[in-house]
């Protein structure tokens, strides 16, 4: 993480007209990040010590070990994203977006994780369209879910509606962060409105920064054992009328297509590759993109890895595309129909789009992984944000 680019407190953005967030200096960010990573890794280290002492580890402990290591990794990546957004140099490519559709897609992407956690999510969505950056807005929704899942101990209520005046779309999310019986038995329960600092984790810092860069208004209300967050979208568009779907040139010109460093930062990619040399080349190709990348060597490993949650994309060697792989892909597409799969072919053009069973997917030649794989991944994730 490089904090030298920060000219002021984190929370400063490229535009002074955007909503401000609570000041957070680099030293505070480093301290918080170190604390969260150390906590997760300390627990993981205890499990490794137990494994070394006994030579055995059960499935539940192995799952917990993986989750603790993943939590530390996620905290580190989130810290990098906070700095990247806080330096004020992120440029947005604004376009008309279906907010309700993106929110449904974000929840669909996490369906397996929701089931694995035993979380109940109650959804009430109205139709709403906004002008925003597709990649960063989807990242905001994923970070919102990260923060919520991290703290919720019971049902999560998510509502998307439209304010009557001004006519702004808003997402309201509420959940209990402490079991009701524990709240009632606390001798000095916090008064309503008192900030619950335990909720101010790295996922919250990232949510703050992303909302500020997107120009959103954010208000959080903490109550004893419960919290509620409202995200308001000032750039909400009027509903489309039939036959008038053409993009307004003035709106289209409002967007900027300037370079955005690490536009896919935080996305989770699984690479199915049996050969070490292929893994090394893929790792090198994806390193500058800020992705979370996990490698598996077989379809069985991939299936087990995805049992608790699907990635944002899967890259796979063509030689492993067996009948078992196709069954796994069909199952994953049944959960998320837009999930991208990128094939690494032994031969062929550098980057091409193929059609299989009426579905398009990207294919990259093995000799062109370094040059073409990032573009293929950008292509797939941009059309399926």
């Amino acid at each position: 993480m490089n904090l030298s680019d920060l000219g002021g407190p984190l929370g400063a953005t490229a535009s002074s007209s955007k909503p401000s967030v609570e000041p957070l200096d680099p030293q505070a960010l480093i301290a918080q990040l170190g604390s969260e990573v150390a906590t997760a890794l300390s627990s993981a280290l205890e499990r490794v010590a137990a494994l070394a002492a006994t030579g055995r580890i059960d499935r539940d402990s192995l799952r917990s070990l993986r989750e603790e290591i993943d939590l530390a990794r996620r905290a580190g990546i989130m810290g990098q994203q906070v700095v990247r957004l806080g330096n004020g140099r992120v440029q947005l490519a604004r376009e008309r977006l279906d907010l309700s559709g993106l929110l449904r897609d974000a929840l669909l992407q996490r369906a397996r994780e929701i089931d694995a956690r035993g979380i109940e999510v109650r959804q009430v969505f109205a139709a709403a369209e906004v002008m925003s950056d597709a990649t960063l807005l989807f990242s905001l929704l994923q970070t919102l879910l990260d923060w919520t899942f991290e703290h919720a101990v019971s049902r999560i209520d998510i509502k998307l509606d439209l304010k009557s005046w001004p006519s702004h779309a808003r997402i309201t999310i509420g959940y209990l962060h402490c079991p009701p019986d524990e709240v009632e038995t606390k001798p000095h329960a916090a008064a309503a409105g008192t900030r619950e600092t335990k909720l101010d984790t790295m996922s919250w810092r990232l949510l703050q920064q992303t909302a500020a860069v997107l120009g959103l208004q954010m208000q959080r209300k903490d109550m004893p054992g419960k919290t509620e967050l409202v995200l308001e979208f000032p750039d909400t568009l009027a509903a489309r009328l039939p036959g008038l779907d053409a993009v307004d040139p003035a709106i289209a010109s409002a967007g900027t297509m300037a370079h955005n460093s690490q536009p896919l930062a935080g996305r989770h990619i699984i690479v199915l590759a049996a050969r070490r040399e292929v893994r090394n080349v893929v790792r090198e190709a994806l390193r500058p993109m800020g992705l979370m990348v996990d490698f598996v060597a077989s379809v069985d490993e991939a299936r087990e890895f995805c049992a608790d949650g699907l990635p944002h994309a899967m890259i796979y060697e063509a030689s492993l595309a067996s009948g078992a792989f196709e069954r796994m892909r069909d199952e994953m597409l049944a959960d998320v129909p837009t999930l991208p799969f990128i094939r690494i072919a032994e031969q062929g053009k550098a980057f091409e789009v193929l059609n299989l069973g009426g579905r398009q997917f990207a294919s990259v030649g093995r000799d062109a992984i370094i040059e073409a794989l990032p573009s293929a991944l950008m292509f797939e994730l941009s059309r399926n944000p």
Side-chain angles (χ1 to χ4, degrees):
M1 184 188 306
N2 184 3
L3 300 177
S4 60
D5 292 336
L6 295 175
L10 294 177
T13 61
S15 171
S16 60
S17 64
K18 293 178 181 176
S20 61
V21 298
E22 298 175 3
L24 179 66
D25 61 69
Q27 288 73 27
L29 177 65
I30 292 174
Q32 180 175 350
L33 177 59
S35 175
E36 292 189 26
V37 171
T39 299
L41 290 183
S42 294
S43 181
L45 185 59
E46 290 178 6
R47 296 186 191 279
V48 173
L51 171 61
T54 64
R56 298 189 305 273
I57 187 169
D58 57 45
R59 181 176 292 272
D60 289 341
S61 295
L62 184 60
R63 181 188 298 271
S64 297
L65 177 61
R66 189 177 76 181
E67 289 176 352
E68 288 156 355
I69 294 173
D70 186 60
L71 180 61
R73 178 179 64 168
R74 285 180 179 273
I77 291 176
M78 285 180 183
Q80 291 176 328
Q81 292 175 268
V82 169
V83 172
R84 185 176 66 89
L85 295 172
N87 65 25
R89 292 202 295 265
V90 175
Q91 300 295 323
L92 306 180
R94 300 170 72 249
E95 57 183 295
R96 186 167 192 150
L97 300 171
D98 177 5
L99 180 59
S100 52
L102 284 175
L103 187 51
R104 287 192 180 92
D105 287 345
L107 284 166
L108 188 61
Q109 187 83 44
R110 310 291 284 271
R112 293 191 180 188
E113 180 183 352
I114 291 171
D115 289 341
R117 290 175 177 266
I119 300 173
E120 178 187 355
V121 180
R122 186 165 65 180
Q123 312 167 33
V124 180
F125 295 163
E129 290 188 312
V130 298
M131 284 293 294
S132 191
D133 180 277
T135 299
L136 201 56
L137 178 56
F138 194 73
S139 294
L140 172 105
L141 298 178
Q142 291 287 0
T143 304
L144 176 63
L145 296 180
D146 285 336
W147 177 68
T148 305
F149 293 169
E150 184 179 345
H151 302 290
V153 298
S154 64
R155 187 187 73 201
I156 299 169
D157 294 309
I158 304 178
K159 180 181 179 181
L160 171 60
D161 65 353
L162 291 168
K163 287 176 58 179
S164 57
W165 184 259
S167 183
H168 291 173
R170 61 183 177 184
I171 295 173
T172 304
I173 189 163
Y175 60 88
L176 293 178
H177 56 77
C178 185
D181 57 339
E182 293 185 17
V183 174
E184 294 172 356
T185 57
K186 284 183 178 179
H188 302 289
T194 302
R195 188 172 189 86
E196 288 282 358
T197 56
K198 69 177 183 180
L199 303 179
D200 296 341
T201 50
M202 289 305 303
S203 56
W204 171 251
R205 302 302 182 193
L206 179 58
L207 185 61
Q208 284 182 306
Q209 292 298 323
T210 310
V213 171
L214 289 174
L216 309 184
Q217 298 170 5
M218 186 164 64
Q219 182 177 7
R220 190 178 111 193
K221 182 180 180 181
D222 295 336
M223 296 156 280
K226 182 180 179 180
T227 194
E228 181 180 275
L229 176 68
V230 179
L231 278 168
E232 188 171 326
F233 294 76
D235 212 351
T236 301
L237 302 175
R240 295 174 186 257
L241 295 176
L244 296 179
D245 289 342
V247 177
D248 187 331
I251 293 178
S253 63
T256 174
M257 297 301 292
H259 176 68
N260 184 0
S261 173
Q262 294 190 336
L264 303 180
R267 299 293 183 94
H268 181 211
I269 310 299
I270 289 182
V271 180
L272 173 56
R275 290 174 289 185
R276 183 187 300 271
E277 60 271 22
V278 174
R279 293 177 179 223
N280 290 340
V281 177
V282 170
R283 182 182 291 107
E284 195 61 31
L286 300 183
R287 190 186 305 277
M289 303 183 74
L291 299 160
M292 291 188 294
V293 184
D294 285 299
F295 294 87
V296 292
S298 68
V299 173
D300 288 341
E301 285 185 35
R303 185 185 294 276
E304 182 177 356
F305 207 99
C306 296
D308 294 340
L310 294 177
H312 293 100
M314 176 173 283
I315 300 168
Y316 67 97
E317 282 189 276
S319 59
L320 297 178
S322 60
F325 172 82
E326 294 301 337
R327 288 191 293 272
M328 180 187 68
R329 172 155 54 183
D330 289 343
E331 292 170 5
M332 295 169 75
L333 291 175
D335 288 345
V336 181
T338 58
L339 185 67
F341 287 82
I342 301 173
R343 185 184 73 171
I344 297 177
E346 287 299 317
Q347 299 176 340
K349 298 178 180 178
F351 169 33
E352 56 184 337
V353 179
L354 306 177
N355 193 301
L356 178 63
R359 175 182 170 82
Q360 290 186 331
F361 68 97
S363 179
V364 174
R366 181 181 169 187
D367 292 338
I369 290 175
I370 292 291
E371 298 82 5
L373 184 57
S375 298
L377 193 56
M378 282 288 295
F379 169 77
E380 287 286 1
L381 290 176
S382 62
R383 64 173 182 164
N384 300 304

